[in-house]
């Protein structure tokens, strides 16, 4: 059983519980308040990003089972905004709350090899890979997959943490030694890609599902810098990517949102890279570019409401604001805006503004994404990320 009341409609006025107090929870609450929902979140940091816009915050560690129970008791429905939920807390959510998303999807996506097997089972393609549990298996896999390849920790890695690109066979042993103490590993073929794409797919408790328009993503130092929507690829690619996303969502029988990242190879092949069972950074453009944002859609999906129309009405380039960009952005904000653009600022209320920490994002609206991209290129705010 994923819940006690599968498919129940949670009407506005009800309280939604969010496990996690980060920016994704904050933007969920900001989307849900105009609809009439109330929010309570659980996070160890007082006055967390999400708590600032919630009715209530429970300040407690994420693995505090009693605190999770308190969240469950205050909320008519519970969701989460990060994936690394402890098994004990997951059990409380599963057994004692209405958690329409269930915990199975979390289990699948928190382990890279399990995730890849689920993607393949849905009929989609991933980069050739091998599961590594000891050095002998690693050596065999490296010989088979060749170089360049990427060695990744199976769990806990994000934004490029816990991974090493292996460019020549001789460097393999060093990469293995660096990551070997971090549990299971996955070795995958390095994809020579034209671009990276992503899609956010939503699926409601009724099985209704839809995808948001495909975004094109530019990473710098393995961290998302820009999302460009619509992506600058042909309609055939966008359609194929969206179909793959729907097939994965159906195959997983999921509820809520799933952000799926893809490589479009130079060979024209589409490979799924990874998935996250929550709103996705590359879907932040929907807040200002689409009739329904990914955050509203998530709430609609878990509350049993009909999904909103994801139609994109304006081209958008989303640029992340990292710690080092906040001050320059605040200076930029008071300057007259470029006449051909609309700049929408989203700051998450986090402090301190440490270098590399995600502090906010800007949605740059234009008639054409190229105009927005040119402006980002010329703007000194992101000069540290430009080549
Ligand atoms: P990940 O944490 O798996 O999303 O990896 C972070 C980034 O590293 C990706 O967005 C890619 O830019 C790059 N990357 C990861 N795996 C591969 C791969 N197999 N081939 C090419 N680039 C990769």
């Amino acid at each position: 059983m994923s819940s006690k009341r599968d498919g129940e409609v949670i009407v506005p006025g009800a309280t939604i519980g969010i496990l996690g107090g980060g920016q994704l929870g904050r933007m969920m609450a900001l989307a849900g308040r105009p609809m009439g929902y109330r929010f309570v979140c659980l996070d160890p940091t007082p006055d967390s990003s999400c708590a600032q816009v919630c009715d209530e915050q429970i300040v407690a560690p994420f693995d505090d089972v009693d605190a999770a129970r308190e969240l469950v008791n205050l909320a008519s429905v519970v969701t989460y905004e990060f994936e690394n939920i402890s098994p004990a807390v997951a059990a409380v959510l599963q057994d004692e709350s209405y958690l329409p998303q269930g915990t199975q999807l979390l289990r699948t996506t928190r382990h890279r090899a399990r995730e890849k097997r689920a993607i393949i089972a849905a009929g989609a393609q991933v980069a050739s890979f091998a599961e590594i549990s000891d050095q002998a298996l690693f050596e065999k896999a490296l010989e088979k997959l060749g170089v360049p390849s990427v060695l990744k920790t199976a769990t806990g890695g994000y934004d490029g943490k816990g991974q090493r690109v292996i460019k020549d066979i001789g460097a393999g042993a060093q990469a293995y030694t660096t990551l070997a103490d971090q549990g299971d590993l996955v070795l995958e073929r390095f994809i020579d890609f034209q671009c990276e794409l992503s899609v956010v797919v939503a699926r409601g408790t009724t099985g209704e599902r839809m995808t948001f328009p495909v975004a094109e993503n530019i990473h710098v130092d393995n961290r998302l810098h820009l999302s460009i929507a619509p992506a600058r690829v042909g309609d055939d690619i966008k359609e194929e990517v969206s179909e793959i996303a729907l097939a994965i969502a159906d195959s997983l029988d999921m509820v809520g949102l799933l952000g799926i990242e893809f490589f479009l190879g130079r060979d024209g092949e589409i490979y799924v890279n990874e998935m996250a069972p929550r709103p996705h950074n590359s879907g932040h453009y929907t807040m200002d570019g689409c009739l329904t944002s990914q955050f509203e859609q998530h709430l609609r999906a878990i509350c049993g409401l009909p999904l909103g129309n994801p139609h994109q009405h304006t081209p958008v380039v989303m640029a992340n604001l990292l710690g080092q960009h906040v001050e320059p952005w605040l200076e930029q904000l008071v300057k007259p805006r470029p006449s051909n653009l609309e700049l929408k600022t989203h700051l998450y209320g986090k402090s301190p503004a440490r270098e590399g920490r995600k502090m906010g994002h800007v949605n740059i609206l234009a008639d054409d994404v190229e105009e927005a991209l040119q402006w980002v290129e010329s703007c000194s705010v992101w000069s540290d990320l430009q080549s």
Side-chain angles (χ1 to χ4, degrees):
M1 273 289 283
S2 64
S3 69
K4 291 183 285 190
R5 295 166 295 177
D6 274 338
E8 184 176 331
V9 176
I10 306 295
V11 291
T15 298
I16 298 175
I18 305 175
L19 188 67
Q23 65 262 24
L24 299 179
R26 176 188 179 95
M27 290 185 275
M28 277 182 208
L30 287 172
R33 275 186 170 273
M35 299 168 79
Y37 290 108
R38 303 180 71 93
F39 290 88
V40 53
C41 70
L42 187 160
D43 194 277
T45 311
D47 196 39
S48 64
S49 175
C50 183
Q52 292 165 24
V53 299
C54 280
D55 298 275
E56 213 173 319
Q57 172 179 11
I58 300 165
V59 180
F62 291 130
D63 58 359
D64 183 332
V65 170
D66 292 334
R69 224 165 243 134
E70 199 185 330
L71 181 78
V72 163
N73 290 336
L74 289 169
S76 302
V77 60
V78 174
T79 186
Y80 50 82
E81 59 115 49
F82 72 105
E83 295 108 301
N84 289 323
I85 300 174
S86 79
V89 165
V92 169
L93 299 185
Q94 173 94 12
D95 299 339
E96 301 176 30
S97 80
Y98 178 42
L99 180 74
Q101 292 160 277
T103 51
Q104 184 56 39
L105 186 56
L106 281 169
R107 211 184 148 265
T108 304
T109 55
R110 71 183 296 173
H111 192 283
R112 284 189 192 273
R114 246 189 329 252
E115 178 175 87
K116 287 178 191 296
R117 288 196 294 268
I119 293 164
I120 293 166
Q125 188 174 212
V126 297
S128 307
F129 74 103
E131 297 177 46
I132 313 285
S133 51
D134 61 42
Q135 185 150 6
L137 278 175
F138 169 70
E139 281 165 12
K140 222 162 114 190
L142 185 60
E143 202 178 300
K144 184 160 169 245
L145 291 175
V147 286
S149 55
V150 194
L151 186 62
K152 301 181 178 180
T153 55
T155 56
Y158 64 95
D159 286 348
K161 293 193 178 74
Q163 52 180 274
R164 293 285 178 282
V165 177
I166 303 173
K167 294 192 179 132
D168 60 87
I169 299 275
Q174 163 83 41
Y176 179 79
T177 313
T178 323
L179 298 179
D181 63 346
Q182 295 184 42
D184 290 349
L185 302 174
V186 169
L187 183 70
E188 61 184 55
R189 193 165 70 80
F190 188 87
I191 302 294
D192 183 18
F193 56 77
Q194 296 175 41
C195 64
E196 295 189 68
L197 302 171
S198 63
V199 147
V200 174
V201 55
R203 195 163 178 277
T205 53
T206 58
E208 183 192 7
R209 78 281 205 267
M210 50 63 61
T211 54
F212 283 96
V214 178
E216 174 187 345
N217 300 317
I218 311 281
H219 292 86
V220 177
D221 296 334
N222 287 318
R223 202 182 272 125
L224 185 65
H225 170 35
L226 303 174
S227 281
I228 303 162
R232 297 168 299 172
V233 295
D235 288 344
D236 51 337
I237 299 288
K238 288 180 196 161
E239 254 163 57
E240 202 179 329
V241 161
S242 304
E243 286 303 320
I244 294 171
L246 292 172
I248 292 174
D250 285 341
S251 170
L252 293 169
D253 195 22
M254 57 155 288
V255 170
L257 295 191
L258 187 65
I260 311 180
E261 297 178 33
F262 300 83
F263 299 125
L264 173 58
R266 286 200 196 280
D267 54 6
E269 294 288 320
I270 295 168
Y271 304 89
V272 178
N273 174 25
E274 61 175 9
M275 318 192 286
R278 51 167 171 73
H280 199 257
N281 193 168
S282 70
H284 291 356
Y285 82 86
T286 61
M287 296 171 83
D288 299 300
C290 294
L291 291 179
T292 307
S293 76
Q294 63 168 345
F295 299 100
E296 178 181 341
Q297 201 73 303
H298 177 65
L299 299 179
R300 286 175 167 274
I302 62 168
C303 289
L305 302 179
L307 298 182
N309 184 346
H311 171 71
Q312 185 174 0
H313 49 75
T314 313
V316 185
V317 170
M318 189 270 337
N320 271 332
L321 292 171
L322 304 179
Q324 66 271 31
H325 303 138
V326 173
E327 280 298 317
W329 182 255
L330 295 179
E331 284 166 26
Q332 176 65 45
L333 196 57
V334 295
K335 293 183 190 164
R337 71 177 167 83
S339 60
N340 59 337
L341 306 174
E342 201 59 58
L343 308 175
K344 299 289 187 187
T345 300
H346 300 266
L347 287 169
Y348 307 149
K350 290 161 51 170
S351 72
R354 276 193 307 274
E355 177 156 354
R357 186 178 191 198
K358 282 181 189 167
M359 302 298 290
H361 67 271
V362 188
N363 281 332
I364 302 147
L365 280 56
D367 288 337
D368 187 286
V369 291
E370 295 300 339
E371 286 180 39
L373 284 170
Q374 274 168 21
W375 183 78
V376 172
E377 275 286 311
S378 68
C379 182
S380 60
V381 172
W382 295 280
S383 53
D384 64 314
L385 301 184
Q386 274 140 24
S387 45

